[in-house]
Amino acid sequence: MALNVVTSVCATLGISEIPVYRGEVQNACAFADNFGNRFITYNPNFLNYLYTNNQWAPISVLAHEVGHHFGMHSSWYGSFLHPWTKELQSDYISGYVLYKLGCPSIQDALSAMNLMFSYTGTASHPDSPKRMDALIQGYNRASQGF
């Protein structure tokens, strides 16, 4: 399932496919190796948990990870971006892609964040209301035909 989702997300964004692997990660992770090769790893139990609550939730998470690659966050350029900027850009991409893939509503698009909701941000991730706003902006932008 994850490979098919990432393939669809990449096609929607017009970028080359990104290899996807099951991994020993808490949820999902986008990274590049020392040669600049891009990858996504995911925890299948986590994605299955999300799917049982809303079919769009794991798509949102994987679209977010593709968004990190789309935004070049694991590159030299990305090293100059604030961690919150990277996360919010990826949330925007997730919302954009969800609409393009047929997600029927903002509520469905927000389902993953609702399951992992946190009012407090961390050094690496902003609080959920900020993240939800970024996702909504991406979803609305796509709904306007951009």
Side-chain angles (χ1 to χ4, degrees):
M1 175 205 136
L3 176 60
N4 293 337
V5 169
V6 170
T7 298
S8 296
V9 172
C10 290
T12 299
L13 295 172
I15 62 174
S16 58
E17 289 187 33
I18 299 167
V20 181
Y21 300 98
R22 291 176 178 220
E24 297 295 321
V25 294
Q26 185 175 2
N27 43 47
C29 179
F31 67 96
D33 65 16
N34 292 335
F35 303 104
N37 298 309
R38 303 173 304 167
F39 302 95
I40 292 175
T41 58
Y42 69 95
N43 179 325
N45 295 327
F46 174 72
L47 293 185
N48 288 335
Y49 162 76
L50 292 178
Y51 186 83
T52 61
N53 288 282
N54 185 297
Q55 70 179 23
W56 293 99
I59 297 169
S60 177
V61 168
L62 292 169
H64 172 95
E65 298 308 327
V66 172
H68 281 302
H69 289 305
F70 185 78
M72 300 184 303
H73 298 159
S74 57
S75 70
W76 176 83
Y77 162 78
S79 68
F80 294 99
L81 296 174
H82 190 280
W84 282 25
T85 299
K86 296 176 193 181
E87 293 304 318
L88 294 173
Q89 286 176 348
S90 296
D91 291 332
Y92 179 95
I93 293 295
S94 177
Y96 181 88
V97 167
L98 285 170
Y99 179 86
K100 293 288 189 178
L101 292 179
C103 183
S105 71
I106 286 287
Q107 290 75 26
D108 284 318
L110 293 171
S111 64
M113 286 191 196
N114 285 328
L115 292 169
M116 304 178 287
F117 201 86
S118 172
Y119 270 110
T120 57
T122 65
S124 63
H125 290 73
D127 57 82
S128 289
K130 285 181 181 61
R131 297 187 70 186
M132 288 178 169
D133 185 54
L135 189 141
I136 290 167
Q137 288 179 37
Y139 188 93
N140 288 340
R141 178 74 179 212
S143 73
Q144 295 165 358
F146 295 102

